[in-house]
Amino acid sequence: MMAAVGAGEVITQLESAAKVLMAPPSMVSNEQRQHAEHIFLSFRKSKSPFAVCKHILETSKVDYVLFQAATAIMEAVVREWILLEKSSIESLRTFLLTYVLQRPNLQKYVREQILLAVAVIVKRGSLDKSIDCKGIFHEVSQLISSGNPTVQTLACSILTALLSEFSSSSKTSNIGLSMEFHGSCKRLFQEEDLRQIFMLTVEVLQEFSRRENMNAQMSSVFQRYLALANQVLSWNFLPPNLGRHYIAMFESSQNVMLKPTESWRETFLDSRVMELFFTVHRKIREDSDMAQDSLQCLAQLASMHGPVFPDESAQVNYLARLVEGLLGMINGIEIEDSEAVGISNIISNLITMFPRSNLTAIPSELFNSFVNCLTHLTCSFGRSAALEEVLDKDDMVYMEAYDKLLESWLTLVQDEKHFHKGFFIQHAVQVFNSYIQCHLAAPEGTRNLTANGVASHEEEEISELQEDDRELFSDQLASIGMLGRIAADHCIPLLTSLLEDRVTRLHGQLQRHQQHLLASPGSGSVDNKVLDDLYEDIHWLILVTGCLLADETQGETPLIPPEIMEYSIKHSTEVDINTTLQVLGSPGEKASSIPGCNRTDSAIRLLSSVLRTSEVESRATRANLTDLLSPQMGKDIVWFLKRWSKTYLLVDEKLYDQISIPFSAAFGADTEGAQWIVGYILEKVINNLSVWSSEPDLANDTVELLVTLVERRERANVVIQCENWWNLAKQFANRTPPLHSLSSSVQRTLMKALVLGGFAHMDSETKQQYWTEVLQPLQQRFMNVINQENFQQICQEEEVKQEIIATLEALCGIAEATQIDNVVILFNFLMDFLNNCIGLMEIYKNTPETVNLIIEVFVEVAHKQICYLGESKSMKLYEACLTLLQVYSKNNLGRKRVDMSAEEDQYQDLLLIMELLTNLLSKEFIDFSDTDEVFRGQEPGQAADRSVSAADVVLYGVNIVLPLMSQDLLKFPSLCNQYYKLITFICEIFPEKIPQLPDDLFKSLMFSLELGMTSMSSEVSQLCLEALTPLAEQCAKAQETESPLFAATRHFLKLVFDMLVLQKHNTEMTVAAGEALYTLVCLHQAEYSELVESLLSSQQDPVIYQRLADAFNKLTASSSPPTLDRKQKMAFLKSLEEFVATVGGLLCVK
């Protein structure tokens, strides 16, 4: 382009192209814009554009053209480096620096781009040592000492550009060089030049920190250097040997902890460096922007670890100075809002990054002052966080800081190795008290008090979408619960007295309201302010009590926290068991009215205060005061009872070294106490379901509590002895109001609970009677509805539809209750329904919600039961599923899904079908059945004439799903993941069926695999790679070189080869890709050799050529010729790791 036209013309061309690009979209056409872009692109690709670019920079007045000229220089230097004289590169660099120095008013983005070009020249030069950074640092230090703020700012920009360019993070320019090159540059830079930059920055900060007053311009320079110091301290240091880090280093990880190499020892262990940053912060803390940077610098210094410390004593000395500096900075100041998060980060880093043995090794007086300061800060941030809540601030800085400090407390108090047991009790008491105080209403608490101590009276609008407090603050509550256990002697009695007091007041208020209503029934509403305050108090007290007494556990058996057990055992000599049982068993009485109540076990008395709350609520509902009650309190009580029951009810003494006698007497197995509590909770559940059926969340929590009561056999045995349980079962089976009006998900869970209860220990006659009462009515009513002659006509009537939906929900609940010892009864029962459900598919084909629910029944049955079914039973299920799919397919033929604006739930049926197929496939690798062993005594297995296999059903299903899965549908993550999970399963389990697919389906499947590998998330990509191995193995077995699958695997060989060798990929994927590559190489050895040859022949650099050739030889040395042998494959995968580490850096380009 430039050979043909003069520099003047080039400038004119570029300037008019810039005008087009900068014009508003309405002023220029698409063609004009593309043409203008093309002019700039070809300009940047032109050969040796240096002279023209210099001319442009000196004469053009258009900023965008100047920016493009700088970019052209940067790209051309790297491209033509080998051809350029070293002196001309040097003069180019000098020209660019001088250019920027002489033009202080350049646009910022132009200046930054020119400096970036300088940084890239320096970086490229560092590789062959042709450019030395020392010269640049000399120039920069002269600029800094000039005293001219504009020039000092420019010096800072130069250093920042170098730092960004060498950091090997996402900020590094794309200059087409290998990852290994970027890594080597970074390592050289961090040893010498980075330290030089840091020292220059420290000098500037020292100089500025001595000044008494600074004008705005100087202040701005100071801020730039402080940000630069932060950048150095947040540097992600590469370890000495690169190994497999060459990829990871490019991922700019958040929250890098400071781990400098040994060469930084002198710099960082110099006490003046840390002192400087404390001094700087004290000086600028009023300026919130600068304070962010200075605190971040201190937080990085507080995270320092690794080889920079020669030994433990150096680490202890450093930590002591850090703690001293921190205390000196915090004590005696009023902390600004903008400092809270920064200070909590310093403390958090210091506690997590330094070994606890360091903390205990600093002078004990200093450590005590630190813990006292941490206590004071935690309480203070907690109060400010509560205030933020009242004022509903968007930026919850204190909340974030408070959470960080509570996490730090957990780290400290759970370490009994370094701190003796009672060490943190007093501190825990203070933090706990402060939390409780912030969550209680005045006068005892400070909730809803604004900063000046005035109550805020605005009505809180609680949005429907707002998360429940127990979810929102779960981490906070867990920490406070833990601190409460540490100081159980103080916290348990405190919670008890507060809760007992609030419940007594609540009881009194409700009685007053009742009398008021009786005296004047028609009079208007009453002032609810007092009640609302009480409900909010009780809400927080119950949440804290639940988190103090028990842990939230997933899956495992929750244990009574050791602190609570020890606390109860320690005081058991002062406890009278009978009084304890009397307090527990009298929720209708005030505990204090029971003689000798102060000899009650404290943990049990705390529980009884929650039961009393529950009792006051139940009595209010019986007195028709439900409108005055808080559903939130109802939820809290049920949540507490569920959490408590899992841990304490029928406590299994075998799990503990020692057990508290009061606990054992009150809720141990075979005790009256346990029976009483089970009966009480059951009554609560029944009461809630009848009173709160219109509150879906509360009803949901209530049935979850019921499931907790019966999911363990020991508890279920006690439950079924209660008459209430049988009544509940009968009422639900007969759809007695108000149970029939519960939401469908609640009905489903209730059914699950009733079925689980049926497997408790009872004699066969009782059991028969139970099933007759629970399951038979369901069957009868369902048959009565669908066998009516006019069912087709009335099926859309609301009442009929409701009956059908309720039955389907109940079936899902029954399936969810499946366990190995009940699968026989449940499978036979459900099977009768499944065949009828298929008929319903036909009738309700235009009612998607019902269709989805029918498919969901199949999904649940397959999910919960298939792993226990032997062959003949599985066959029955496969046949039913196949029929279901046939009906679904017939009803969906020709149904186009083109509406992309439609929401994901429109595709719920597809998602469910795929889930069903995946569940059926799971049988192939999770199988607990023993050739119908579970079903002994029933009909014999008919293995001989297997009519329908899982493969038939699944492939039939895939025939339906594949044509419906468009690329647009794959944009929905849940559909996409389920789809790829399904096709990977199929390839892994039935690879022999894949070549038999119809041609268009086969192509569709292969296209899906390629799409998943190349354009989807790494999770999907990994699934597709896992699918390739069995397909290639299938090909090798069949040895049909003409088959479409053979051709497809050849195509995949190139894809996987490129992925491993040329592209940046997650290290986790190396194994899946390696396995696929090995199998594909076994299949297509000649093609693999061609790929290697063509890659080698494209290398111009003889050194790289040789390294690559050696690496490839080494890779296949252990397996030549490669065969499908496990040992060889493992050897190949091991070599591949080395290969990727060696070659990945050479060929992955940025």
Side-chain angles (χ1 to χ4, degrees), residues 358-394:
N358 286 174
L359 274 175
T360 49
I362 65 173
S364 59
E365 209 171 301
L366 183 61
F367 180 64
N368 290 336
S369 304
F370 170 66
V371 178
N372 291 336
C373 172
L374 175 57
T375 309
H376 164 72
L377 279 180
T378 310
C379 297
S380 152
F381 287 178
R383 284 192 289 277
S384 304
L387 217 75
E388 283 175 338
E389 279 242 272
V390 177
L391 303 171
D392 203 16
K393 285 195 174 176
D394 287 339

mmCIF file of all heavy atoms in Angstrom, residues 358-394:
data_model
loop_
_atom_site.group_PDB
_atom_site.id
_atom_site.type_symbol
_atom_site.label_atom_id
_atom_site.label_comp_id
_atom_site.label_asym_id
_atom_site.label_seq_id
_atom_site.Cartn_x
_atom_site.Cartn_y
_atom_site.Cartn_z
ATOM 1 N N ASN A 358 3.331 -19.192 64.253
ATOM 2 C CA ASN A 358 3.913 -17.840 64.205
ATOM 3 C C ASN A 358 3.132 -16.890 65.111
ATOM 4 O O ASN A 358 3.694 -16.054 65.805
ATOM 5 C CB ASN A 358 3.839 -17.262 62.787
ATOM 6 C CG ASN A 358 4.841 -17.875 61.828
ATOM 7 O OD1 ASN A 358 4.823 -17.582 60.659
ATOM 8 N ND2 ASN A 358 5.688 -18.750 62.334
ATOM 9 N N LEU A 359 1.805 -17.031 65.063
ATOM 10 C CA LEU A 359 0.958 -16.124 65.856
ATOM 11 C C LEU A 359 1.259 -16.279 67.350
ATOM 12 O O LEU A 359 1.313 -15.307 68.085
ATOM 13 C CB LEU A 359 -0.519 -16.439 65.611
ATOM 14 C CG LEU A 359 -1.183 -15.753 64.411
ATOM 15 C CD1 LEU A 359 -2.601 -16.261 64.245
ATOM 16 C CD2 LEU A 359 -1.210 -14.239 64.574
ATOM 17 N N THR A 360 1.427 -17.547 67.774
ATOM 18 C CA THR A 360 1.663 -17.750 69.208
ATOM 19 C C THR A 360 3.104 -17.410 69.576
ATOM 20 O O THR A 360 3.424 -17.251 70.747
ATOM 21 C CB THR A 360 1.378 -19.211 69.608
ATOM 22 O OG1 THR A 360 2.061 -20.070 68.693
ATOM 23 C CG2 THR A 360 -0.105 -19.519 69.549
ATOM 24 N N ALA A 361 3.984 -17.267 68.572
ATOM 25 C CA ALA A 361 5.389 -16.979 68.885
ATOM 26 C C ALA A 361 5.652 -15.480 69.033
ATOM 27 O O ALA A 361 6.690 -15.084 69.545
ATOM 28 C CB ALA A 361 6.290 -17.561 67.803
ATOM 29 N N ILE A 362 4.746 -14.628 68.574
ATOM 30 C CA ILE A 362 4.998 -13.192 68.770
ATOM 31 C C ILE A 362 4.770 -12.876 70.249
ATOM 32 O O ILE A 362 4.099 -13.636 70.953
ATOM 33 C CB ILE A 362 4.101 -12.303 67.845
ATOM 34 C CG1 ILE A 362 2.619 -12.433 68.199
ATOM 35 C CG2 ILE A 362 4.314 -12.604 66.387
ATOM 36 C CD1 ILE A 362 1.718 -11.456 67.424
ATOM 37 N N PRO A 363 5.348 -11.762 70.752
ATOM 38 C CA PRO A 363 5.206 -11.481 72.194
ATOM 39 C C PRO A 363 3.744 -11.569 72.623
ATOM 40 O O PRO A 363 2.858 -11.061 71.932
ATOM 41 C CB PRO A 363 5.728 -10.036 72.315
ATOM 42 C CG PRO A 363 6.649 -9.869 71.141
ATOM 43 C CD PRO A 363 6.122 -10.733 70.050
ATOM 44 N N SER A 364 3.503 -12.234 73.791
ATOM 45 C CA SER A 364 2.112 -12.534 74.159
ATOM 46 C C SER A 364 1.307 -11.255 74.371
ATOM 47 O O SER A 364 0.116 -11.193 74.071
ATOM 48 C CB SER A 364 2.074 -13.416 75.392
ATOM 49 O OG SER A 364 2.729 -12.747 76.446
ATOM 50 N N GLU A 365 1.953 -10.212 74.866
ATOM 51 C CA GLU A 365 1.222 -8.958 75.071
ATOM 52 C C GLU A 365 0.707 -8.416 73.739
ATOM 53 O O GLU A 365 -0.426 -7.942 73.625
ATOM 54 C CB GLU A 365 2.167 -7.948 75.720
ATOM 55 C CG GLU A 365 1.456 -6.933 76.599
ATOM 56 C CD GLU A 365 2.485 -6.119 77.378
ATOM 57 O OE1 GLU A 365 3.276 -6.728 78.148
ATOM 58 O OE2 GLU A 365 2.523 -4.917 77.173
ATOM 59 N N LEU A 366 1.571 -8.524 72.726
ATOM 60 C CA LEU A 366 1.212 -8.031 71.391
ATOM 61 C C LEU A 366 0.054 -8.866 70.827
ATOM 62 O O LEU A 366 -0.916 -8.327 70.278
ATOM 63 C CB LEU A 366 2.441 -8.131 70.474
ATOM 64 C CG LEU A 366 2.273 -7.604 69.050
ATOM 65 C CD1 LEU A 366 1.935 -6.130 69.057
ATOM 66 C CD2 LEU A 366 3.552 -7.839 68.237
ATOM 67 N N PHE A 367 0.157 -10.191 71.017
ATOM 68 C CA PHE A 367 -0.904 -11.060 70.483
ATOM 69 C C PHE A 367 -2.233 -10.765 71.178
ATOM 70 O O PHE A 367 -3.277 -10.675 70.541
ATOM 71 C CB PHE A 367 -0.525 -12.538 70.651
ATOM 72 C CG PHE A 367 -1.582 -13.474 70.120
ATOM 73 C CD1 PHE A 367 -1.903 -13.480 68.767
ATOM 74 C CD2 PHE A 367 -2.293 -14.315 70.973
ATOM 75 C CE1 PHE A 367 -2.897 -14.324 68.273
ATOM 76 C CE2 PHE A 367 -3.290 -15.158 70.478
ATOM 77 C CZ PHE A 367 -3.583 -15.156 69.126
ATOM 78 N N ASN A 368 -2.178 -10.560 72.514
ATOM 79 C CA ASN A 368 -3.413 -10.249 73.238
ATOM 80 C C ASN A 368 -4.019 -8.935 72.752
ATOM 81 O O ASN A 368 -5.234 -8.831 72.579
ATOM 82 C CB ASN A 368 -3.153 -10.182 74.755
ATOM 83 C CG ASN A 368 -2.869 -11.571 75.306
ATOM 84 O OD1 ASN A 368 -3.283 -12.579 74.722
ATOM 85 N ND2 ASN A 368 -2.149 -11.657 76.421
ATOM 86 N N SER A 369 -3.156 -7.951 72.529
ATOM 87 C CA SER A 369 -3.667 -6.664 72.017
ATOM 88 C C SER A 369 -4.326 -6.870 70.660
ATOM 89 O O SER A 369 -5.362 -6.273 70.353
ATOM 90 C CB SER A 369 -2.534 -5.647 71.841
ATOM 91 O OG SER A 369 -1.857 -5.484 73.031
ATOM 92 N N PHE A 370 -3.705 -7.744 69.848
ATOM 93 C CA PHE A 370 -4.251 -7.999 68.500
ATOM 94 C C PHE A 370 -5.641 -8.635 68.612
ATOM 95 O O PHE A 370 -6.591 -8.239 67.943
ATOM 96 C CB PHE A 370 -3.289 -8.909 67.728
ATOM 97 C CG PHE A 370 -3.858 -9.416 66.427
ATOM 98 C CD1 PHE A 370 -4.131 -8.552 65.374
ATOM 99 C CD2 PHE A 370 -4.140 -10.772 66.247
ATOM 100 C CE1 PHE A 370 -4.670 -9.014 64.173
ATOM 101 C CE2 PHE A 370 -4.681 -11.248 65.062
ATOM 102 C CZ PHE A 370 -4.936 -10.358 64.017
ATOM 103 N N VAL A 371 -5.772 -9.654 69.494
ATOM 104 C CA VAL A 371 -7.070 -10.335 69.617
ATOM 105 C C VAL A 371 -8.115 -9.369 70.185
ATOM 106 O O VAL A 371 -9.274 -9.364 69.760
ATOM 107 C CB VAL A 371 -6.942 -11.605 70.500
ATOM 108 C CG1 VAL A 371 -8.292 -12.279 70.657
ATOM 109 C CG2 VAL A 371 -5.969 -12.585 69.858
ATOM 110 N N ASN A 372 -7.696 -8.508 71.128
ATOM 111 C CA ASN A 372 -8.647 -7.515 71.663
ATOM 112 C C ASN A 372 -9.084 -6.552 70.574
ATOM 113 O O ASN A 372 -10.259 -6.186 70.479
ATOM 114 C CB ASN A 372 -8.012 -6.714 72.816
ATOM 115 C CG ASN A 372 -7.816 -7.590 74.038
ATOM 116 O OD1 ASN A 372 -8.521 -8.591 74.196
ATOM 117 N ND2 ASN A 372 -6.869 -7.251 74.905
ATOM 118 N N CYS A 373 -8.129 -6.156 69.748
ATOM 119 C CA CYS A 373 -8.445 -5.231 68.647
ATOM 120 C C CYS A 373 -9.399 -5.919 67.659
ATOM 121 O O CYS A 373 -10.374 -5.319 67.188
ATOM 122 C CB CYS A 373 -7.149 -4.823 67.963
ATOM 123 S SG CYS A 373 -7.412 -3.879 66.477
ATOM 124 N N LEU A 374 -9.126 -7.197 67.366
ATOM 125 C CA LEU A 374 -9.994 -7.962 66.447
ATOM 126 C C LEU A 374 -11.415 -8.034 67.027
ATOM 127 O O LEU A 374 -12.406 -7.886 66.301
ATOM 128 C CB LEU A 374 -9.405 -9.367 66.247
ATOM 129 C CG LEU A 374 -10.211 -10.367 65.428
ATOM 130 C CD1 LEU A 374 -10.500 -9.834 64.038
ATOM 131 C CD2 LEU A 374 -9.471 -11.706 65.304
ATOM 132 N N THR A 375 -11.497 -8.248 68.347
ATOM 133 C CA THR A 375 -12.820 -8.323 69.002
ATOM 134 C C THR A 375 -13.545 -6.991 68.853
ATOM 135 O O THR A 375 -14.712 -6.936 68.463
ATOM 136 C CB THR A 375 -12.639 -8.636 70.509
ATOM 137 O OG1 THR A 375 -11.783 -9.763 70.629
ATOM 138 C CG2 THR A 375 -13.968 -8.917 71.173
ATOM 139 N N HIS A 376 -12.813 -5.910 69.154
ATOM 140 C CA HIS A 376 -13.417 -4.579 69.096
ATOM 141 C C HIS A 376 -13.901 -4.279 67.666
ATOM 142 O O HIS A 376 -15.016 -3.801 67.451
ATOM 143 C CB HIS A 376 -12.378 -3.543 69.555
ATOM 144 C CG HIS A 376 -12.742 -2.143 69.191
ATOM 145 N ND1 HIS A 376 -13.774 -1.463 69.829
ATOM 146 C CD2 HIS A 376 -12.249 -1.307 68.246
ATOM 147 C CE1 HIS A 376 -13.889 -0.260 69.272
ATOM 148 N NE2 HIS A 376 -12.980 -0.146 68.325
ATOM 149 N N LEU A 377 -13.042 -4.586 66.686
ATOM 150 C CA LEU A 377 -13.409 -4.315 65.279
ATOM 151 C C LEU A 377 -14.623 -5.134 64.858
ATOM 152 O O LEU A 377 -15.516 -4.647 64.168
ATOM 153 C CB LEU A 377 -12.241 -4.677 64.346
ATOM 154 C CG LEU A 377 -11.113 -3.666 64.209
ATOM 155 C CD1 LEU A 377 -10.065 -4.209 63.253
ATOM 156 C CD2 LEU A 377 -11.622 -2.329 63.698
ATOM 157 N N THR A 378 -14.624 -6.430 65.262
ATOM 158 C CA THR A 378 -15.730 -7.305 64.854
ATOM 159 C C THR A 378 -17.048 -6.744 65.370
ATOM 160 O O THR A 378 -18.035 -6.638 64.638
ATOM 161 C CB THR A 378 -15.513 -8.740 65.377
ATOM 162 O OG1 THR A 378 -14.197 -9.158 65.044
ATOM 163 C CG2 THR A 378 -16.496 -9.702 64.750
ATOM 164 N N CYS A 379 -17.053 -6.355 66.652
ATOM 165 C CA CYS A 379 -18.302 -5.814 67.240
ATOM 166 C C CYS A 379 -18.688 -4.518 66.535
ATOM 167 O O CYS A 379 -19.856 -4.289 66.212
ATOM 168 C CB CYS A 379 -18.127 -5.567 68.731
ATOM 169 S SG CYS A 379 -17.795 -7.087 69.643
ATOM 170 N N SER A 380 -17.691 -3.683 66.287
ATOM 171 C CA SER A 380 -17.977 -2.372 65.689
ATOM 172 C C SER A 380 -18.481 -2.536 64.250
ATOM 173 O O SER A 380 -19.463 -1.919 63.841
ATOM 174 C CB SER A 380 -16.694 -1.541 65.774
ATOM 175 O OG SER A 380 -16.661 -0.611 64.755
ATOM 176 N N PHE A 381 -17.810 -3.405 63.458
ATOM 177 C CA PHE A 381 -18.265 -3.623 62.071
ATOM 178 C C PHE A 381 -19.650 -4.267 62.055
ATOM 179 O O PHE A 381 -20.458 -4.012 61.183
ATOM 180 C CB PHE A 381 -17.275 -4.512 61.304
ATOM 181 C CG PHE A 381 -15.985 -3.812 60.938
ATOM 182 C CD1 PHE A 381 -14.963 -4.503 60.284
ATOM 183 C CD2 PHE A 381 -15.783 -2.480 61.240
ATOM 184 C CE1 PHE A 381 -13.774 -3.868 59.947
ATOM 185 C CE2 PHE A 381 -14.594 -1.835 60.914
ATOM 186 C CZ PHE A 381 -13.586 -2.524 60.265
ATOM 187 N N GLY A 382 -19.895 -5.139 63.047
ATOM 188 C CA GLY A 382 -21.214 -5.790 63.126
ATOM 189 C C GLY A 382 -22.306 -4.745 63.321
ATOM 190 O O GLY A 382 -23.362 -4.784 62.683
ATOM 191 N N ARG A 383 -22.033 -3.782 64.220
ATOM 192 C CA ARG A 383 -23.038 -2.723 64.459
ATOM 193 C C ARG A 383 -23.247 -1.899 63.199
ATOM 194 O O ARG A 383 -24.385 -1.593 62.823
ATOM 195 C CB ARG A 383 -22.586 -1.816 65.613
ATOM 196 C CG ARG A 383 -22.773 -2.465 66.985
ATOM 197 C CD ARG A 383 -22.591 -1.446 68.100
ATOM 198 N NE ARG A 383 -21.204 -1.029 68.263
ATOM 199 C CZ ARG A 383 -20.309 -1.721 68.978
ATOM 200 N NH1 ARG A 383 -20.658 -2.822 69.603
ATOM 201 N NH2 ARG A 383 -19.066 -1.290 69.078
ATOM 202 N N SER A 384 -22.144 -1.556 62.530
ATOM 203 C CA SER A 384 -22.276 -0.738 61.305
ATOM 204 C C SER A 384 -22.969 -1.516 60.192
ATOM 205 O O SER A 384 -23.704 -0.951 59.391
ATOM 206 C CB SER A 384 -20.895 -0.290 60.821
ATOM 207 O OG SER A 384 -20.236 0.403 61.841
ATOM 208 N N ALA A 385 -22.736 -2.838 60.167
ATOM 209 C CA ALA A 385 -23.391 -3.667 59.135
ATOM 210 C C ALA A 385 -24.900 -3.670 59.365
ATOM 211 O O ALA A 385 -25.694 -3.574 58.422
ATOM 212 C CB ALA A 385 -22.849 -5.093 59.185
ATOM 213 N N ALA A 386 -25.294 -3.753 60.657
ATOM 214 C CA ALA A 386 -26.729 -3.732 60.972
ATOM 215 C C ALA A 386 -27.332 -2.398 60.552
ATOM 216 O O ALA A 386 -28.470 -2.324 60.055
ATOM 217 C CB ALA A 386 -26.923 -3.950 62.475
ATOM 218 N N LEU A 387 -26.560 -1.336 60.701
ATOM 219 C CA LEU A 387 -27.025 0.001 60.315
ATOM 220 C C LEU A 387 -27.208 0.096 58.800
ATOM 221 O O LEU A 387 -28.185 0.682 58.309
ATOM 222 C CB LEU A 387 -25.966 1.022 60.760
ATOM 223 C CG LEU A 387 -26.523 2.331 61.271
ATOM 224 C CD1 LEU A 387 -27.097 2.143 62.655
ATOM 225 C CD2 LEU A 387 -25.431 3.382 61.306
ATOM 226 N N GLU A 388 -26.247 -0.504 58.063
ATOM 227 C CA GLU A 388 -26.371 -0.511 56.593
ATOM 228 C C GLU A 388 -27.680 -1.167 56.178
ATOM 229 O O GLU A 388 -28.339 -0.745 55.237
ATOM 230 C CB GLU A 388 -25.216 -1.310 55.967
ATOM 231 C CG GLU A 388 -23.916 -0.582 55.919
ATOM 232 C CD GLU A 388 -22.774 -1.474 55.386
ATOM 233 O OE1 GLU A 388 -22.874 -2.716 55.444
ATOM 234 O OE2 GLU A 388 -21.781 -0.915 54.920
ATOM 235 N N GLU A 389 -28.033 -2.233 56.910
ATOM 236 C CA GLU A 389 -29.283 -2.947 56.603
ATOM 237 C C GLU A 389 -30.487 -2.042 56.797
ATOM 238 O O GLU A 389 -31.405 -2.012 55.984
ATOM 239 C CB GLU A 389 -29.406 -4.157 57.527
ATOM 240 C CG GLU A 389 -28.600 -5.323 57.054
ATOM 241 C CD GLU A 389 -29.498 -6.499 56.753
ATOM 242 O OE1 GLU A 389 -29.777 -7.270 57.676
ATOM 243 O OE2 GLU A 389 -29.923 -6.625 55.600
ATOM 244 N N VAL A 390 -30.482 -1.290 57.919
ATOM 245 C CA VAL A 390 -31.610 -0.396 58.219
ATOM 246 C C VAL A 390 -31.741 0.651 57.114
ATOM 247 O O VAL A 390 -32.832 0.953 56.632
ATOM 248 C CB VAL A 390 -31.392 0.331 59.575
ATOM 249 C CG1 VAL A 390 -32.528 1.305 59.844
ATOM 250 C CG2 VAL A 390 -31.292 -0.679 60.693
ATOM 251 N N LEU A 391 -30.578 1.179 56.704
ATOM 252 C CA LEU A 391 -30.614 2.256 55.703
ATOM 253 C C LEU A 391 -30.710 1.695 54.288
ATOM 254 O O LEU A 391 -30.743 2.444 53.320
ATOM 255 C CB LEU A 391 -29.351 3.125 55.833
ATOM 256 C CG LEU A 391 -29.145 3.725 57.236
ATOM 257 C CD1 LEU A 391 -27.780 4.385 57.346
ATOM 258 C CD2 LEU A 391 -30.243 4.738 57.555
ATOM 259 N N ASP A 392 -30.703 0.347 54.198
ATOM 260 C CA ASP A 392 -30.834 -0.332 52.911
ATOM 261 C C ASP A 392 -29.832 0.177 51.889
ATOM 262 O O ASP A 392 -30.175 0.556 50.775
ATOM 263 C CB ASP A 392 -32.270 -0.156 52.387
ATOM 264 C CG ASP A 392 -32.596 -1.273 51.409
ATOM 265 O OD1 ASP A 392 -31.850 -2.271 51.403
ATOM 266 O OD2 ASP A 392 -33.565 -1.140 50.636
ATOM 267 N N LYS A 393 -28.564 0.222 52.297
ATOM 268 C CA LYS A 393 -27.529 0.759 51.401
ATOM 269 C C LYS A 393 -27.233 -0.231 50.288
ATOM 270 O O LYS A 393 -27.320 -1.446 50.480
ATOM 271 C CB LYS A 393 -26.253 1.011 52.200
ATOM 272 C CG LYS A 393 -26.324 2.249 53.076
ATOM 273 C CD LYS A 393 -24.918 2.615 53.540
ATOM 274 C CE LYS A 393 -24.920 3.928 54.284
ATOM 275 N NZ LYS A 393 -23.577 4.220 54.817
ATOM 276 N N ASP A 394 -26.835 0.309 49.119
ATOM 277 C CA ASP A 394 -26.479 -0.581 48.005
ATOM 278 C C ASP A 394 -25.123 -1.221 48.267
ATOM 279 O O ASP A 394 -24.902 -2.389 48.020
ATOM 280 C CB ASP A 394 -26.402 0.215 46.690
ATOM 281 C CG ASP A 394 -27.806 0.592 46.231
ATOM 282 O OD1 ASP A 394 -28.748 -0.079 46.686
ATOM 283 O OD2 ASP A 394 -27.948 1.548 45.460
#
